[in-house]
Amino acid sequence: MADQEASGLQVLLRTLQRSSDKESILTILQVLGDLLSVGTDRRIRYMISKGGSEALLQTLVDTARSASPDYDVLLPLFRLLAKVGLRDKKFGQKALELEALDVTLILARKNLSHSQNLLHCLWALRVFASSVTTGAMLGINGAMELLFKVITPYTQKRTQIIRAAAEVLAALLKSKSNSRRAVNRGYVAGLLRLHLDWHHQDAANAYVLIRRALLLCLRHIANLRSGREAFLAARGMEILFSSAQNCLDDKCLEPIISVVIQILRQCYPKSPLPLVTSSSAYAFPVPGSIPPEPPCALTEEDFEDDADEEVDKDSDSEDTKEQDDDLETDVNKLSSKPGLDRPEEELRQYEAMCLELSCSFEELESKPGDNLNFEETQDAKHYHIPTVTSPKQYYLTKDQSSWGQEREDVVQTSLLSMVKMGRSTVRPASKRGPGMNAYQNMQSNGLGIDSSGKEVPDVQASLKEDAWDIDVISCPVMSASLSNSARPTETAEVIDKLLQTHPKHIPFHDPHLYMAKARRTRSVADFKRMAFPDIWGHRPPPSAQSMLERKCGVQRIKIFEDVRRLIEPSDVINKVVFSLDEPWPLQDTASDCLRFSSKFESGNLRKAIRVREREYDLLVNTDVNSSQHQQWFYFQVSGMRAAVPYRFNVINCEKPNSQFNYGMQPTVYSVKEALLGRPTWIRMGYEICYYKNHYRQRAAVMGGASEKCFYTLTFVVTFPHNEDACYLAYHYPYTYTALLTHLDILERSVNPKQVYFRQDILCQTLGGNSCPLVTITAMPESNSADHLEQFRE
């Protein structure tokens, strides 16, 4: 049956090519039309493999070149060509070889006043133009001039023909040679006039597809640098911005808005980042490396848009690449949980080593009968380790604390002396670090939860009574590094008074110990201050925070607001208010301007620019000794007004996508909230999105193969208090000083009879900080030789 069917189709196609009888041709076209009207694309592809495209094109050429072309044959023939040509990747080349392009153009010119015949010719031209090479040939033969005669200003007549002509023109302009020809002949201004006319007249949005096709023509022209220049010269940015800004929320205009956004982003003039150099603001001399050359300032050549050259070559592979894949990310496509790579039954063999496969660690509790009766508090349950502020165990006098420490050292030293006989490499337990005195002072002060139970009212009263200097509190000066100044002493007194006035219980934290550790931490940034959340500590949020629900269209709104800077700059301030690159302070003295700071451990903010009254562009620093890798931000902002929305734009992000497009929010810590008894980092912000911006950097600057694109993370924050000091971060910060502090607290929190815990210094880092080596294991149950040998191994 397959052979008979194949031979039958081939007989039909051969008969179609050779027959000159009108009735026979119409019958064969009717049969082919019926065969291809049902079923799947397999029938069409099968017909193409048997020479169906060539047969139809040859019939077209023969019929059109007759003395009087018979449109009773041509119209069904054009309909079949349009259907088959969409599935034949070589259809344009075949049409070019059989001279079907010229024939179709001639028929279209002859039927400008005959709507039905012209419409069928345009359908065929649309299929021919799907090949860039064939489209370039059509452009040479005057196809674009013909189409502009068909595409008229707004009319309710012949709209089907106008739509088809606009779609053919958009397909032709995929060819760079056609786009260049359109620019040289002034078609850009004409297309903008047509777009405006259809936009203003089509109030009912009945001809969205015509308007979209006209915009697609502009988008393809904008792929060329000369096209973008012509678009800007014709005030295309202003025209598209004004025509679309009130339609962003109209879902029926989605096909139009998406193309408008693409054109605006494509034609927005590319510029370099507002930085003096692309290199990091910090440099660290690495032993054995060649000292880097002094960074040179960025010039116009460092961001010149040379991505697409004005070449004359056209090929089918040069189809427009989708440039807006970062917009409107589909959250539903994000996998919520990765699947297992093997059956769950096979994982049970690892339960002995990986308790997390079978245990819920949140349900673990200390076993009854422990020699040291550690008492868990509500705040400490997240850590499963008794904290130093546990009232029953650690509210000791200085003498008691020293006695407990001496007893612990005796236990470990006596045990290690016996183990040392079997293995000489085991060393005695390390001594306490330099923060011990501060740690004992904290214990002797009896800091903890206020027994009166009136913490929040007392805090509120003291805030009003003492009128604290929020800047001094929020970022205290490190007294060790600035010992000759009177300011650090004043700051230390303020912090001490705060700690006495507002006793609190934060698990796994000790402010005095942290300050002592921070004074000894060295950093390439040479920070002189400490962030308030690091000193004061923080608790986890009182409850889990859900992902922020994505607002549809928020990226487009933000992009339009960015475009507004270019075309309506009247409200743009564009003033630098903070910069690490400037030797003098740049903070704006205006009462309504925010104040920024990042000169503290783990802080990262290189520059802040006040764009509008309540909008700021932020630039983060790259990795040290590098000109790339920037995503982390952590900075302090103060001087805000409560219940007023502030927009922040981190404009030099690198990742092509981010979890901020899927509901993630920045973390915010409020100093006043902490003093009111709520010291927590919480997820805040709305209108959050992440998208590609207009900043570029040439490949020569980066040493790469292509230019570097940057992305904007934008979010809006409404602060809870006036004149507060808040910290904003990419995620919950965790500093090197916090690590050292937690290790010391952890060492004092374990039961020395059950857990062997020892800190050593593995080495000194190149920056001068110690790299801790921690040994944790179970203590032997007894002093028997077997148990000691097991411990030694």
Side-chain angles (χ1 to χ4, degrees), residues 195-196 199-200 238-247 260:
H195 161 72
L196 269 182
H199 171 75
H200 292 316
E238 292 86 344
I239 292 174
L240 294 191
F241 179 84
S242 61
S243 65
Q245 63 177 337
N246 297 325
C247 310
V260 168

Side-chain angles (χ1 to χ4, degrees), residues 666-693:
T667 56
V668 179
Y669 184 104
S670 166
V671 171
K672 286 191 175 182
E673 283 291 303
L675 295 178
L676 290 170
R678 295 179 289 272
T680 61
W681 284 95
I682 61 173
R683 296 284 181 180
M684 284 184 64
Y686 56 96
E687 294 184 10
I688 302 173
C689 62
Y690 188 94
Y691 58 90
K692 186 186 299 180
N693 56 38

Side-chain angles (χ1 to χ4, degrees), residues 718-733:
T718 302
F719 297 102
H721 301 285
N722 280 320
E723 294 298 326
D724 193 3
C726 293
Y727 291 81
L728 287 79
Y730 183 90
H731 198 63
Y732 306 115

Side-chain angles (χ1 to χ4, degrees), residues 630-670:
Q630 63 260 21
Q631 202 79 13
W632 168 262
F633 61 87
Y634 179 24
F635 60 91
Q636 178 213 334
V637 60
S638 58
M640 69 284 292
R641 293 172 55 191
V644 172
Y646 292 90
R647 179 183 173 186
F648 299 97
N649 311 308
V650 184
I651 62 175
N652 64 331
C653 299
E654 282 189 322
K655 294 165 55 179
N657 206 342
S658 172
Q659 289 298 318
F660 287 109
N661 272 341
Y662 297 98
M664 178 176 166
Q665 298 172 274
T667 56
V668 179
Y669 184 104
S670 166

Side-chain angles (χ1 to χ4, degrees), residues 221-278:
I221 292 175
N223 287 329
L224 292 180
R225 187 189 309 164
S226 58
R228 292 190 288 272
E229 293 172 355
F231 180 81
L232 294 174
R235 300 184 61 83
M237 298 287 286
E238 292 86 344
I239 292 174
L240 294 191
F241 179 84
S242 61
S243 65
Q245 63 177 337
N246 297 325
C247 310
L248 296 178
D249 297 330
D250 194 339
K251 291 186 177 181
C252 70
L253 294 180
E254 171 70 19
I256 293 177
I257 298 301
S258 61
V259 183
V260 168
I261 290 290
Q262 293 172 18
I263 298 173
L264 292 178
R265 299 180 84 194
Q266 211 166 7
C267 296
Y268 198 114
K270 304 301 182 289
S271 59
L273 290 171
L275 295 173
V276 294
T277 174
S278 61

Side-chain angles (χ1 to χ4, degrees), residues 303-329:
F303 67 94
E304 183 181 357
D305 187 11
D306 55 358
D308 39 55
E309 297 293 337
E310 300 286 340
V311 295
D312 293 326
K313 180 181 178 181
D314 283 310
S315 68
D316 294 339
S317 62
E318 293 183 13
D319 198 1
T320 303
K321 180 181 179 182
E322 181 62 46
Q323 298 293 331
D324 294 79
D325 53 354
D326 58 321
L327 290 183
E328 303 306 329
T329 310

Side-chain angles (χ1 to χ4, degrees), residues 173-241:
L173 289 172
K174 290 182 180 180
S175 163
K176 288 186 177 181
S177 59
N178 285 342
S179 293
R180 193 174 302 108
R181 189 176 295 109
V183 172
N184 296 334
R185 296 181 181 180
Y187 290 166
V188 173
L191 287 169
L192 285 171
R193 286 193 297 269
L194 286 171
H195 161 72
L196 269 182
D197 188 67
W198 282 90
H199 171 75
H200 292 316
Q201 300 295 332
D202 185 24
N205 297 327
Y207 306 111
V208 171
L209 295 179
I210 294 177
R211 295 158 61 185
R212 180 178 185 272
L214 294 173
L215 289 171
L216 284 176
C217 296
L218 290 170
R219 194 191 76 176
H220 296 319
I221 292 175
N223 287 329
L224 292 180
R225 187 189 309 164
S226 58
R228 292 190 288 272
E229 293 172 355
F231 180 81
L232 294 174
R235 300 184 61 83
M237 298 287 286
E238 292 86 344
I239 292 174
L240 294 191
F241 179 84

